[in-house]
Amino acid sequence: MERLTPVEQKAPGRWQVATVAAIKPETPQVKSFRLQVPMWMALADGEVSPYFHDVVVEGDQVEVRGPFTSYFVWRGESPVLLVGGGSGVVPLMCMMRHRRLTMPELPMRLVYSVRKADDVIYADELDGDTVLTFTREPPGDWSGHTGHIDADLIAEAGVDSGIGFVCGSNAFVETASQLLLDAGFDPQQIRTERFGPTG
Amino acid sequence: MNGFISRGFGGHRRVPEELADRLPPGQYVESGFPVLTAGPTPKVDTADWTFRVDGMVGQERKWTWEEFGQLPFEDVPCDIHCVTKWSKLGTTFRGVPVDVLLDAAEPLGSYAVQYSYGGYTTNLPIEDLMDGKAWVVTEHEGEPLPREHGGPARMLVPHLYFWKSAKWVAGLRVMDHDEPGFWEERGYHEYGDPWKEQRYWND
């Protein structure tokens, strides 16, 4: 059994109060919310995201419950390869931030696939540890990668062992997790989170 | 929660009235078939596939794909409920009742763990696999079960949340005690009754 974090030990699955500490427009379609929760930082998503998008203002208190499970969680394993498609980057950025704050020397790379310039979430946080690719319309002055993720892009990230976290649409995750297997990752060390479209 | 309410939160999605009594609390109707898997999708060739019943049994049993195909299959129309809150209503699988498999092995314990190619496990009382409540299915809506949905064969236990229906199932281990499976160790409920909303450890 995996070791539980202090928060999980303290309050597995219990309701807690969070405060919306900051709201930041990321793209025309995406806002990010910073929630302050005692001993816990996370983003709610899914059913409630329209509520967050349209209603919540800074200073609001919201009810949150969790964390529910302890699976798509990075616990300092190394090296780390993160692969995100579209808004699938969100949980991965939490890992990037945690690493930046706590163990900046630890090898962690992010491969991030978006359709067009407007879709880049966390644009001002992406640094040399990110390999970004545009699948449809790159910005006019873009000289970096274009097209869907492939073996070359994974190779450029330079992590071929350790632990992999993959998040995105189902099709994206199928492709990306296969690329990680091909690159040599142990299947037990590839963790995935998927969202629609549904099959 | 001391009467605290998130300002402006509108609550749950609307449910069509004619379906309301088929939808467990907190669920919404999904017409598609979402894929939720914790890791890469395993590739299991039917030439290599076997299904086993082992552990505390009178006689361990193992079927190859070909042998399994000789067992009595039946259509299973059912509603399925995922703990992530979607429910798919009126969908049909085809497979072998688990009763047939257990009867052949003479189970001696009160619990079972389903185990899968790729390492997934999920636990449940053995009576939840008996009396026409569970199947090992190889078809969905008349087609071979797609790989991303657990093909070539998955467990189907529609009266529990769908994580209790292991994809890429390789066998059942009969036990004399309840032992948490993959998600059950990671915060999900030990039993998982959707009508009691048994989603997480404290539910």
Side-chain angles (χ1 to χ4, degrees), chain B residues 16 28 39 58 64 71 85 92 98 119 122 136 139 166 183 187 190-191 197 200:
Chain B
Y28 70 90
T64 64
L71 298 172
K85 298 204 163 185
T92 301
V98 173
T122 186
V136 174
E139 291 181 25
W183 286 122
E190 202 55 21
Y191 183 65
E197 256 200 295
Y200 310 109

Side-chain angles (χ1 to χ4, degrees), chain A residues 6-170:
Chain A
V7 176
E8 290 160 348
Q9 288 169 355
K10 187 180 177 215
R14 296 220 186 273
W15 288 96
Q16 303 178 61
V17 176
T19 301
V20 179
I23 301 175
K24 181 181 172 207
E26 297 280 356
T27 78
Q29 305 300 326
V30 176
K31 290 182 190 173
S32 70
F33 294 80
R34 194 153 57 81
L35 300 183
Q36 286 177 344
V37 188
M39 290 182 65
W40 177 51
M41 286 179 64
L43 277 170
D45 195 25
E47 190 176 337
V48 298
S49 49
Y51 157 72
F52 274 110
H53 199 276
D54 301 333
V55 179
V56 168
V57 297
E58 286 182 29
D60 272 355
Q61 285 197 319
V62 296
E63 292 162 275
V64 299
R65 186 187 178 207
F68 292 136
T69 68
S70 49
Y71 179 66
F72 202 81
V73 176
W74 174 57
R75 289 189 163 77
E77 298 97 329
S78 165
V80 195
L81 179 57
L82 311 174
V83 187
S87 57
V89 73
V90 171
L92 308 179
M93 182 53 74
C94 295
M95 299 178 197
M96 293 284 271
R97 288 171 179 163
H98 188 59
R99 173 264 213 154
R100 197 183 302 144
L101 286 171
T102 59
M103 41 196 120
E105 304 307 314
L106 184 142
M108 174 183 280
R109 304 297 305 279
L110 168 67
V111 176
Y112 181 20
S113 171
V114 294
R115 286 180 297 182
K116 53 190 197 300
D118 260 2
D119 293 337
V120 180
I121 306 175
Y122 312 124
D124 56 4
E125 289 187 63
L126 303 178
D127 57 18
D129 284 324
T130 302
V131 180
L132 181 62
T133 184
F134 291 93
T135 59
R136 289 194 194 157
E137 294 166 37
D141 58 349
W142 182 249
S143 58
H145 297 281
T146 57
H148 291 279
I149 57 160
D150 58 15
D152 290 343
L153 211 61
I154 298 294
E156 177 166 331
V159 180
D160 58 7
S161 64
I163 190 160
F165 291 90
V166 182
C167 186
S169 69
N170 185 52

Side-chain angles (χ1 to χ4, degrees), chain A residues 1-2 4 8 11-17 46-48 51 55-57 60-63 65 68-71 170 174 177-178 181 187-188 190-195 198-199, chain B residues 1 4-13 26 28 30-41 43 85 118-119 147-149 182-183 185-188 200-203:
Chain A
M1 185 154 176
E2 287 180 80
L4 297 180
E8 290 160 348
R14 296 220 186 273
W15 288 96
Q16 303 178 61
V17 176
E47 190 176 337
V48 298
Y51 157 72
V55 179
V56 168
V57 297
D60 272 355
Q61 285 197 319
V62 296
E63 292 162 275
R65 186 187 178 207
F68 292 136
T69 68
S70 49
Y71 179 66
N170 185 52
E174 281 293 315
S177 55
Q178 187 59 50
L181 289 172
Q188 303 286 345
I190 303 173
R191 301 188 187 180
T192 62
E193 283 280 9
R194 303 153 189 253
F195 46 80
T198 63
Chain B
M1 200 61 213
F4 177 75
I5 289 176
S6 303
R7 183 190 67 84
F9 186 60
H12 297 292
R13 296 173 217 212
Y28 70 90
E30 168 65 57
S31 56
F33 194 173
V35 174
L36 292 141
T37 301
T41 301
K43 284 189 178 123
K85 298 204 163 185
R147 199 161 67 90
E148 61 182 6
H149 289 302
F182 182 88
W183 286 122
E185 321 196 295
R186 290 168 174 80
Y188 282 92
Y200 310 109
W201 281 351
N202 295 308
D203 289 342

